[in-house]
Amino acid sequence: MSRRERITPQQAGLPYVGGDRRVKGLRREEVAMLADLSVEYYTRMERGQLGGASESVLDAIARALQLDDDERAHLYQLARNVAPGSRRKRAEHTSPITASVQQVLDSMSVPAVVQNDRLDLLAANDLGRALYADLFTMAKKPPNFARYVFLDPRAEGFYADIDEAKNLLVAVLRATAGRDPLDKEVTELIGELSTRSIDFSTRWAKHNVRSHSRGRKVVHHPAVGTMDLAYDDFALPGDPHVSITTYTADPGTPSADALTLLATWAETQKQPQTVNDDVRRIRPRHP
């Protein structure tokens, strides 16, 4: 329904008919006509009865609703989840963060973190910990990007575009929930955020979906200042929903200099703070 409401008849290539329309966007019968389906069949599908829908029918609906790649994948996943025999007990996950994965992280010269599709931050190298220092001080473990953005006031100062960050994280969680409706941890996270944040529940109701694979983000780091970073996700073998995310800056830019400064700052955070600088400057007096 949310996708149908955003498309005007003109955008769908339908002839203009004068008069007031009682619905926002396309009517059900118009989508059914564009997809070459009966109105009754399309109405049942819109109400969640997707089980048994063929690939050609899903493709026709995706074209009629002008879905992008992420939305199309979400539609297919919803159809698979309501198909006969799809309701099965969710397999227990083992931790993907092995010693070898951590070694790969530590070998990288750029900030790198491991996250799952619930947006839990599972591991990081030193630069990744320095970049997301606020998250690693959160009381609830593992740190979670959605909890940070919607429930931690520090996020407002960290993200240059906090609105875009919120929209992206909600859309990623919506896609995650569509892939596995039996994931208890995802359901609990969504319930917690909906209860504690009206902002989250309002954005959740828009039904937007996106994947988190690559892009750019501008952050204001409290120690090194503003950085414009490109991020890329690389799925871990054996679990496509757990990935290593790396952050890089364009060479020769202030952001690249800030990353170099971040590495220096990260080293200082590892140093034991046993003697303060004032004490170090005191020289012993000679008799």
Side-chain angles (χ1 to χ4, degrees), residues 159-216:
Y159 290 100
D161 191 340
I162 188 65
D163 191 61
E164 168 60 19
K166 288 179 176 180
N167 285 337
L168 173 61
L169 294 175
V170 170
V172 170
L173 274 181
R174 170 68 72 175
T176 299
R179 279 193 296 271
D180 191 350
L182 298 182
D183 190 325
K184 182 180 178 182
E185 290 175 297
V186 172
T187 302
E188 290 176 349
L189 174 62
I190 293 167
E192 175 191 352
L193 294 172
S194 298
T195 302
R196 299 179 62 186
S197 172
I198 296 175
D199 190 4
F200 175 86
S201 59
T202 300
R203 294 171 195 267
W204 183 258
K206 295 179 180 179
H207 292 266
N208 293 327
V209 293
R210 284 173 64 183
S211 62
H212 185 276
S213 55
R214 62 174 57 89
R216 301 194 71 91

Side-chain angles (χ1 to χ4, degrees), residues 67-142:
L67 303 186
D68 62 25
D69 290 343
D70 291 336
E71 293 166 339
R72 182 184 292 262
H74 186 61
L75 174 64
Y76 271 85
Q77 191 62 65
L78 292 176
R80 282 193 290 268
N81 285 331
V82 297
S86 64
R87 295 290 180 176
R88 61 189 184 280
K89 184 178 179 181
R90 176 180 169 87
E92 295 295 328
H93 282 297
T94 57
S95 174
I97 313 307
T98 62
S100 60
V101 169
Q102 187 63 55
Q103 187 175 4
V104 169
L105 290 174
D106 294 338
S107 70
M108 293 182 174
S109 59
V110 298
V113 302
V114 175
Q115 60 182 320
N116 58 23
D117 56 3
R118 289 190 300 273
L119 303 174
D120 294 329
L121 205 169
L122 304 177
N125 60 7
D126 288 340
L127 275 171
R129 284 182 169 272
L131 177 62
Y132 289 118
D134 284 353
L135 273 84
F136 284 99
T137 63
M138 295 177 70
K140 197 160 187 176
K141 302 299 179 184

